[in-house]
Amino acid sequence: MQPLLEITDLKVDFNGSLAVDGVNLTINRGETLVLLGESGSGKSITAMSILRILPTAARVTSGKILLDGQDLLQQSELEMCEVRGAKVGIIFQEPQTSLNPVIKIGEQIAESLRRHKKITEKEVRAEVIGLLDEIGIESADKRYDDYPHQFSGGMKQRVMIAMALACEPALLIADEPSTALDVTTQVQVLELLLKLQKQRDMAILFITHDLGVAAKMADNISVMLDGKIIEHAPRSRFFKQQQHPYSQQLFKAFAEQGNEKSIPSASIPSADDILLEVKSLKVYFPIKTGLLKRTTGHVKAVNDISFTLEKGKTAVIVGESGSGKTTLGKGILQLLPVTGGQVLFEGVDLVKLTASQLRKKRTDIQVIFQDPYSSMNPRMLVGDIIAEGMLTQGDKSLEQRQQRVEELLVQVGLEQSSRHRYPHEFSGGQRQRICIARALAMEPKLIICDEPTSALDSLFQAQILALLADLQKKLGLSYLFITHNLALVDYIADHVMVMYQGEIVEQGSAKQVLHHPQHSYTQRLVSAVLKIEE
């Protein structure tokens, strides 16, 4: 039987170095090949080569990419337009940068249907609404006319999945499609992909750094490192016995994530021990209807939340996409208008500060956003991005700023020369490390971490978490850590808060919440965590 996709000796040059070095891959109809490896290993470049959507700095220097026997590298651009979307669909890693912010969600999904299917406008709309409903978007008929900024990160990724599957392609390229999703939604999306794969006999090239996801999805696994495939095996053999030392390191890092944090005996904190105290915080968004756009109700994104965070401690907020986690973080930072409540930082209510007072106070509170690319200026060099806060502070010379930038880049696992490059020249995981370096540059007392490791593979997750823990120990940093990855919670948390529909439904130590959950929603979250089963 002829493979659906066959890649032979593929080499891709990227700025004078081989990003993909002699890769050979084969995928049959109805099979899933998982491409596993660290950020920057060449996984995404390999996938983009199939559709010939490489960055301008990259070019294929040798090899063949056969789809149903046709070499895609020999096709004209017009012929490739008939392949993209119809025969091969793709789900990108970062939905925020893949969706057009000024076009309605429904219209973006409909674009592929209009190009490749001869159906009426009424049928196009019906198919799009059906897809949105199938991927778990509530009130799909109403959400058709919404824009990307009206969706959470996880919901945007589900929209990307609908776009990729609209024309029922023979091959689906899924580039970290579950990175932005909480555990319950992740399981739903992965099961949906498996269901659609079975119904359509669809092949999937699945790129991931998550061994739990790989275990659920894979028929075969290829491990990539430095542009090369270093190990290939059927799923059962790979999870039973890894051959390459790098593969063994991945498994070790995955296992260490579940290690429980060593926490001293609980004691009642004094007022001097408390860094952040949130009291009855509310962030409501008005619902405006009618011709005059009168306020007829409110979306209670954050509803009456209270908690304290001690100096040198880590509080973790977990919950599904859209539960209000990120809105809570932005409310604490005063990046969103607060409807009610207090945010006391070192006893000072941030809600009552003027803009200039708040600007000074934010030196002590930094944030690492979920989407690294959209949080950086694409026209600025990485070194300038990291040094921007220090420049605003004005207490360091140019030479001191440059030295500090180089130190930070090394701390987060990047080369010092990276400061002379632009954000688009880095992979998703590398961009997140740049954002972490930027947050550390201000030497803050509190860092709000909004999914800071979601774009990183297991090895770099472990390194970044170890770095954050080391900095916490040395500098007495406090973290408010927002995540959907429950595997990390045991490792990093002093205190855990479970958030659901804008409210905290359960809180306590990681051991209490994750190993003895009391609330039905927490129990559902814990049961949805993907594990490796041989």
Side-chain angles (χ1 to χ4, degrees):
M1 180 180 71
Q2 184 185 45
L4 174 67
L5 179 73
E6 189 172 9
I7 300 176
T8 307
D9 194 31
L10 179 66
K11 294 183 180 180
V12 180
D13 180 89
F14 198 105
N15 285 330
S17 61
L18 284 178
V20 177
D21 189 3
V23 163
N24 296 284
L25 295 175
T26 300
I27 310 177
N28 295 318
R29 291 183 184 277
E31 286 185 354
T32 299
L33 172 66
V34 168
L35 198 54
L36 193 66
E38 67 186 32
S39 176
S41 63
K43 307 186 302 295
S44 294
I45 292 293
T46 301
M48 288 189 285
S49 299
I50 297 170
L51 285 171
R52 291 190 20 209
I53 52 174
L54 289 167
T56 53
R59 61 186 182 89
V60 176
T61 57
S62 72
K64 292 182 178 181
I65 302 176
L66 303 180
L67 181 70
D68 264 339
Q70 284 188 317
D71 191 352
L72 299 181
L73 297 179
Q74 302 302 318
Q75 302 294 300
S76 67
E77 180 59 25
L78 189 61
E79 289 171 327
M80 285 302 300
C81 286
E82 296 303 317
V83 172
R84 299 179 190 122
K87 295 180 181 178
V88 183
I90 185 166
I91 306 166
F92 292 103
Q93 182 177 358
E94 293 174 350
Q96 179 69 28
T97 57
S98 304
L99 295 170
N100 191 321
V102 297
I103 298 178
K104 295 173 181 178
I105 286 292
E107 290 300 304
Q108 295 192 55
I109 300 172
E111 186 178 359
S112 181
L113 290 168
R114 292 191 182 108
R115 177 174 181 84
H116 298 293
K117 287 188 174 184
K118 295 180 179 179
I119 56 178
T120 66
E121 281 301 306
K122 186 177 180 180
E123 290 171 328
V124 167
R125 187 178 180 92
E127 283 207 28
V128 171
I129 291 171
L131 279 166
L132 289 172
D133 185 63
E134 194 171 21
I135 60 169
I137 302 292
E138 293 183 5
S139 304
D141 56 334
K142 296 178 182 177
R143 301 309 301 266
Y144 183 102
D145 295 313
D146 285 345
Y147 292 91
H149 73 272
Q150 295 174 277
F151 290 77
S152 67
M155 292 170 73
K156 287 173 191 167
Q157 191 64 288
R158 280 182 261 179
V159 170
M160 285 297 303
I161 292 169
M163 291 173 67
L165 297 177
C167 291
E168 302 184 9
L171 171 66
L172 175 66
I173 299 171
D175 189 356
E176 301 275 9
S178 59
T179 293
L181 304 180
D182 58 86
V183 288
T184 52
T185 308
Q186 181 184 66
V187 169
Q188 293 169 11
V189 168
L190 295 180
E191 288 179 348
L192 173 62
L193 288 176
L194 290 170
K195 174 186 172 184
L196 292 170
Q197 179 183 38
K198 188 175 181 180
Q199 289 175 349
R200 306 178 187 188
D201 199 28
M202 179 174 64
I204 299 177
L205 175 60
F206 200 103
I207 298 171
T208 186
H209 60 252
D210 191 322
L211 284 169
V213 172
K216 183 173 182 64
M217 296 298 296
D219 293 304
N220 297 291
I221 293 178
S222 291
V223 182
M224 202 165 184
L225 179 66
D226 296 333
K228 298 179 180 179
I229 301 296
I230 58 170
E231 184 168 354
H232 176 81
R235 177 199 174 281
S236 56
R237 194 175 79 198
F238 179 78
F239 282 99
K240 188 175 182 180
Q241 182 63 53
Q242 306 82 46
Q243 301 299 317
H244 196 277
Y246 174 73
S247 303
Q248 294 166 0
Q249 286 181 338
L250 284 178
F251 271 76
K252 183 180 178 182
F254 184 84
E256 287 177 349
Q257 283 183 5
N259 291 344
E260 190 174 331
K261 182 174 181 177
S262 178
I263 302 173
S265 299
S267 60
I268 300 174
S270 66
D272 292 337
D273 292 330
I274 295 174
L275 179 70
L276 176 71
E277 186 174 8
V278 176
K279 294 183 176 181
S280 302
L281 188 65
K282 300 180 181 70
V283 180
Y284 295 173
F285 297 112
I287 301 171
K288 296 181 182 292
T289 58
L291 185 63
L292 299 177
K293 296 296 180 183
R294 289 174 175 162
T295 301
T296 57
H298 289 87
V299 174
K300 298 180 179 180
V302 174
N303 189 23
D304 199 24
I305 282 182
S306 301
F307 68 90
T308 59
L309 174 59
E310 295 176 56
K311 295 174 182 176
K313 301 291 185 180
T314 301
V316 175
I317 303 171
V318 296
E320 65 189 2
S321 177
S323 63
K325 307 186 303 295
T326 298
T327 303
L328 173 60
K330 290 181 178 179
I332 291 169
L333 283 163
Q334 304 300 292
L335 296 177
L336 287 173
V338 171
T339 308
Q342 293 178 296
V343 180
L344 302 174
F345 182 78
E346 295 184 317
V348 177
D349 190 355
L350 301 183
V351 176
K352 294 181 179 179
L353 296 183
T354 64
S356 60
Q357 290 172 329
L358 190 59
R359 193 177 300 113
K360 291 178 182 178
K361 204 65 179 174
R362 282 191 181 133
T363 301
D364 293 328
I365 310 173
Q366 292 295 300
V367 61
I368 303 167
F369 292 102
Q370 180 178 1
D371 187 344
Y373 191 75
S374 63
S375 67
M376 291 189 284
N377 189 329
R379 295 179 179 86
M380 289 178 66
L381 293 171
V382 162
D384 294 334
I385 290 171
I386 296 173
E388 189 174 16
M390 291 185 283
L391 182 63
T392 304
Q393 240 180 345
D395 61 349
K396 287 183 172 65
S397 67
L398 175 61
E399 185 179 347
Q400 288 173 325
R401 291 197 302 270
Q402 289 178 346
Q403 183 179 351
R404 178 63 175 151
V405 166
E406 290 178 352
E407 290 173 356
L408 288 165
L409 285 169
V410 171
Q411 274 187 318
V412 298
L414 296 172
E415 295 178 359
Q416 291 181 349
S417 60
S418 298
R419 68 187 180 93
H420 299 298
R421 295 163 62 188
Y422 290 94
H424 74 269
E425 298 180 71
F426 295 85
S427 67
Q430 290 170 326
R431 289 179 197 140
Q432 193 62 291
R433 278 177 267 162
I434 293 166
C435 290
I436 292 170
R438 177 177 60 184
L440 295 173
M442 301 302 293
E443 301 179 6
K445 297 176 182 177
L446 169 65
I447 299 180
I448 297 178
C449 306
D450 190 356
E451 304 278 8
T453 61
S454 64
L456 304 181
D457 57 87
S458 298
L459 284 178
F460 282 114
Q461 275 187 359
Q463 290 174 15
I464 292 299
L465 292 174
L467 171 63
L468 292 174
D470 184 55
L471 290 166
Q472 185 175 53
K473 187 176 180 181
K474 289 179 180 177
L475 306 176
L477 286 171
S478 298
Y479 301 124
L480 181 62
F481 206 100
I482 298 169
T483 185
H484 61 252
N485 188 349
L486 291 182
L488 299 179
V489 174
D490 262 348
Y491 183 77
I492 62 174
D494 294 296
H495 187 77
V496 180
M497 295 171 281
V498 181
M499 201 164 175
Y500 179 61
Q501 294 184 347
E503 298 180 354
I504 292 176
V505 296
E506 186 167 355
Q507 60 179 310
S509 69
K511 186 173 183 179
Q512 290 171 335
V513 174
L514 298 185
H515 300 283
H516 306 285
Q518 301 299 310
H519 196 276
S520 58
Y521 174 70
T522 312
Q523 293 168 354
R524 196 162 76 244
L525 277 181
V526 172
S527 64
V529 176
L530 294 174
K531 297 179 175 65
I532 296 176
E533 297 177 1
E534 295 182 7

